[in-house]
Each structure stands twice: as structure tokens, then as C-alpha cells.
Amino acid sequence: MVRVSKLCVLYAVLFAVLLYYAATMFYSTGDDTHRFSINVNQLDPRDDVVTSGRVGLHHANMTSVRLNRTTHPVVPLNAVIEEHSTSPQLAPTTASRSVYENSRQDETVQDWDAEQERRRAVLRKTCAKYPQMNMSSSAVSRRAGRLWPLIYDDKYKVVYCTICKVASTTLKSAFLVLMGKYPTIQSVDLGEWYTLDRSLHTLSKLARSPAEIERRLRTYKKFVFVREPFSRELSGFRNKLYAKNKYYRKTVGTKIIRQFRANATKEALETGDGVTFTEFAKHLTRTKTLDSLDIHWRPMHSMVLPCSIEYDYIGHLETAQWDIENIFNRTGIGRVVKVPETPMNLSNSDDIFNSFYEELEPSLLRDMYNTFRMDSELFGYDIPLFIRDKLGDL
């Protein structure tokens, strides 16, 4: 009896220890989930500003999502996107995965839905302030020449509005995969990009069938990706003029130098080399019509008809991984196209961003603000803090 009593005591102690560790693990996971929820709930749907500065709260939320997924991999909605981590010690067992990950997945999806509703609400509210930007669906369908950015796929009943310098190469590549031209985004031959780009199905090619354009805009799921405007302009400049892009230097650089540089050298006029960011900013703000600007830095709202086309999903480059995954799942694209595992590169660090915009005189910087203010307002971007500080009250 004594031996049995001792065994009972020993089992009781072991059971207590196991309960302690189980409780520790449970509350640790709960704290992590709660911390993520706080980050998302800080995005008050009543606020007009969706992001603060160039990256803002969205980036912080995405960091939480990525950290949580590294620790507890989440099965995508349609279960076709591969998990980023396949380490045995990180992956839960099949038995535990179904309960835990489904609840985690639902939380993430709900947060994304709430954020999408916020972005659409900001857009609707801004459009209501500018009724001149609204066109009826029939009017839009009759202006096929304005619809060149809108790429569609009939099988998946989806329309994507492309904007240069906003993950457009990746997203266009996804549609090439849907067309059966390549098996994956990564396998797309960028050396043949000009030909491939022209092969995409765009609504502008349906100019002779306005009814078909209107039908697709009315019944298909539509999405667009946007980016903080000042960051996008700098990205366009660095990629096309600051870098050694001979085509853009010859066609655009020479024009800018001829127009804005006094006593330009013969070599600069012939090659377009050495365009400064100040000269570029003058080109952006003093060109008479927005439509005459190159599409890599033309204001976004002038291309995407944001008040005339009712977009179902609005992606932000700053949260590209989160948005692409959810959009691909919702539209069915994810059944064929795997989401790129590497987050989008925003390319402009704070130091780089500040160093270029520091070059601009306040009056020119204010002209930049006025030129791209509509993009910021429509898509819910706050003015970057560096620019706001430099200009003072706006």
C-alpha cells in the first residue's frame, strides 16, 4: 500500500508539471495572437489615413503576420500555396494543425477583409468630394482607349489594373501563367517582356464591343495595386533616369535637359545623361497635361479611373505579400499561380528617400505635393513625414 501511495504521489507531481508547461505554452500563444489583434485594431476604420509615412502601420502589421507564420505556418485558403517554412520542428502535427491553423487563418482573413473595406471607404469618400471624376459604366466602356491598363482573364473572371512601379511585372507575369505561357511567375522570360506584355488581354482591345467591356467590368472581380506616391516617383526616377537606362535617357532625359537646364553641354543634350532629381521634379510638375507624362511616373488616379470603376480589392505595395495572397485566393488565381515567397522590395530606404527629396527647394516640393495630392487622398496615404516637416503645415 505504501508503494502504491508513493506511485500515486509521483504521478500527481508529474501531472502537475505537465499541466504547468501546457498552460505556459497556451498563454504564450495567446499573447502572440493578442498582440497581432492589437496591431490590426489600431487601424481605426473611421480614419481617413490608412498608412502613416512611406510604410506606416501596414508594414508593422505585415511584420506581425510574417513573424507569426514563421512560428506557426498557416495553410492558405485554397491549400495550394506552399508553406514558407517546411522545418519539421516548426510545423505542427497534422492533428493539431487543423484546429489551430483554421482559427488563425480565419482571424487573418477577417482582418484583411476589414482593411479592404477601409480602403474602399476612403476611396468612396474621396470620390464623393470630386463628382467630376465619376463616369457611368456605359461611358467607361465607350472609352476603350483609357482602358489599356486593365488586364482580364475570362476563365477566372478577373480584371487587374496595372500601374508601373507597383509590382506590375510580378502581377502581369501571373496573368501570363494563367494564359498557359509559363508554368510559374519565376519562369517568365523577362528578355521577351515587350512581346509578352503586348500579348496580355486588355479591355482596350475590345474597343469594338463596348457591351463586352461593360459586362466584364460589371461581373468580374476587379483589383488594383497602388503605392505611396512620393516613393513611386522616386522609384521611377532611379530606375529609368538615374540608372543607366539608355532608352529613357535618350527619349526622356534629353527632353528634360533641353527644357530645364541652362547652358547644357552638347553631350548631355545628345545622351540625356545626368538628369538631376530637381530637373525631374520640374518635368513632373510643369508638364501641361498628366496624360503626356510617361506611365512610370504619371499620377495613378489618371490611369485607373478610381471613381468610375468599382474595385473589389485595393492592394498596397507596402503590404503586397498579404494582399496578393488574399486576392489570389479570393479570385481563384491561386489555384494556378503560387504567390512569390519573397516580399516585394520597396527599393527606397528612408535614407535614400530623404536624400533625394532634400535636394528639392520648398516651392518645388510643394508643387510635387499638389501634383500627387490626389493619389494620396484617394488611396489613403499620409504625406511622408520628411516632406511634411520640410513644408510645414499643409
Side-chain angles (χ1 to χ4, degrees):
M1 291 294 295
V2 173
R3 181 175 300 175
V4 172
S5 298
K6 288 183 177 179
L7 285 174
C8 290
V9 171
L10 178 60
Y11 284 133
V13 171
L14 288 174
F15 183 72
V17 171
L18 288 173
L19 281 178
Y20 171 79
Y21 280 109
T24 302
M25 292 298 291
F26 174 82
Y27 286 112
S28 175
T29 302
D31 288 345
D32 186 56
T33 304
H34 179 63
R35 184 165 57 251
F36 173 74
S37 300
I38 289 175
N39 282 340
V40 174
N41 291 335
Q42 286 172 344
L43 295 173
D44 188 342
R46 295 169 298 178
D47 292 343
D48 288 346
V49 176
V50 177
T51 57
S52 176
R54 293 196 309 110
V55 178
L57 294 174
H58 284 315
H59 184 71
N61 290 338
M62 279 304 297
T63 301
S64 296
V65 173
R66 282 197 290 269
L67 286 173
N68 291 337
R69 288 186 179 181
T70 301
T71 307
H72 305 287
V74 178
V75 178
L77 290 177
N78 56 16
V80 298
I81 301 173
E82 293 180 352
E83 296 174 349
H84 296 341
S85 174
T86 57
S87 303
Q89 67 271 26
L90 295 181
T93 64
T94 304
S96 65
R97 179 178 299 166
S98 59
V99 176
Y100 173 78
E101 292 184 349
N102 285 340
S103 63
R104 188 64 172 216
Q105 173 182 316
D106 290 342
E107 179 189 49
T108 303
V109 169
Q110 290 167 2
D111 293 330
W112 189 79
D113 285 340
E115 179 56 28
Q116 284 298 304
E117 178 51 39
R118 168 214 281 286
R119 293 177 187 179
R120 290 190 296 266
V122 170
L123 183 58
R124 288 193 299 268
K125 181 178 179 179
T126 307
C127 288
K129 293 168 57 179
Y130 304 100
Q132 69 275 17
M133 295 182 65
N134 288 273
M135 287 192 294
S136 66
S137 59
S138 59
V140 170
S141 62
R142 291 194 302 270
R143 299 188 181 186
R146 295 285 306 274
L147 305 181
W148 59 266
L150 293 156
I151 300 167
Y152 69 91
D153 186 272
D154 284 333
K155 180 178 180 180
Y156 292 91
K157 292 181 169 47
V158 62
V159 175
Y160 156 58
C161 187
T162 179
I163 300 177
C164 292
K165 308 309 299 176
V166 191
S168 59
T169 300
T170 296
L171 293 167
K172 285 181 179 180
S173 295
F175 277 77
L176 291 171
V177 175
L178 292 181
M179 293 170 66
K181 291 182 177 292
Y182 292 92
T184 65
I185 288 177
Q186 291 81 357
S187 64
V188 172
D189 184 1
L190 297 181
E192 298 293 326
W193 186 252
Y194 179 75
T195 302
L196 293 170
D197 193 30
R198 291 168 64 88
S199 72
L200 290 165
H201 302 308
T202 62
L203 292 182
S204 61
K205 295 178 181 179
L206 301 176
R208 296 183 180 181
S209 305
E212 287 299 305
I213 294 175
E214 187 174 2
R215 179 179 66 82
R216 287 172 174 83
L217 288 176
R218 185 180 67 256
T219 62
Y220 286 17
K221 292 295 184 182
K222 299 168 290 294
F223 70 93
V224 62
F225 268 77
V226 296
R227 180 179 187 175
E228 194 286 307
F230 286 90
S231 180
R232 176 174 173 264
E233 297 310 307
L234 178 55
S235 179
F237 171 74
R238 293 182 65 207
N239 181 248
K240 301 301 181 184
L241 294 170
Y242 190 71
K244 292 183 178 180
N245 186 313
K246 290 184 178 180
Y247 174 80
Y248 268 86
R249 286 191 175 191
K250 185 69 175 179
T251 57
V252 181
T254 53
K255 176 182 177 181
I256 293 175
I257 291 173
R258 186 166 55 250
Q259 188 173 2
F260 298 110
R261 184 180 302 178
N263 304 317
T265 65
K266 181 180 179 181
E267 180 182 3
L269 290 171
E270 290 178 350
T271 64
D273 291 351
V275 173
T276 67
F277 192 57
T278 293
E279 292 168 339
F280 176 69
K282 289 179 179 178
H283 170 66
L284 295 177
T285 58
R286 299 178 188 179
T287 298
K288 292 183 179 180
T289 61
L290 297 179
D291 286 345
S292 62
L293 288 171
D294 184 84
I295 59 176
H296 289 86
W297 39 77
R298 189 181 305 172
M300 294 180 288
H301 74 272
S302 68
M303 296 183 285
V304 306
L305 302 174
C307 299
S308 302
I309 296 175
E310 189 173 348
Y311 290 100
D312 298 280
Y313 311 117
I314 302 172
H316 283 194
L317 184 69
E318 294 79 8
T319 55
Q321 195 81 4
W322 194 33
D323 293 333
I324 290 176
E325 180 176 318
N326 280 283
I327 290 171
F328 279 19
N329 284 330
R330 296 299 177 85
T331 59
I333 294 175
R335 292 197 294 269
V336 178
V337 184
K338 296 188 188 307
V339 177
E341 294 186 2
T342 304
M344 300 298 169
N345 181 6
L346 297 181
S347 74
N348 299 327
S349 69
D350 287 339
D351 289 341
I352 293 173
F353 181 89
N354 295 350
S355 67
F356 277 92
Y357 279 101
E358 178 66 36
E359 177 186 323
L360 305 185
E361 293 294 328
S363 59
L364 183 55
L365 188 57
R366 187 170 292 276
D367 289 341
M368 283 276 287
Y369 164 75
N370 290 330
T371 300
F372 297 99
R373 178 179 181 176
M374 186 62 73
D375 279 353
S376 297
E377 193 172 349
L378 285 164
F379 301 118
Y381 284 102
D382 195 6
I383 304 303
L385 294 177
F386 176 83
I387 292 175
R388 183 178 292 275
D389 290 344
K390 189 170 180 179
L391 291 180
D393 293 335
L394 293 173

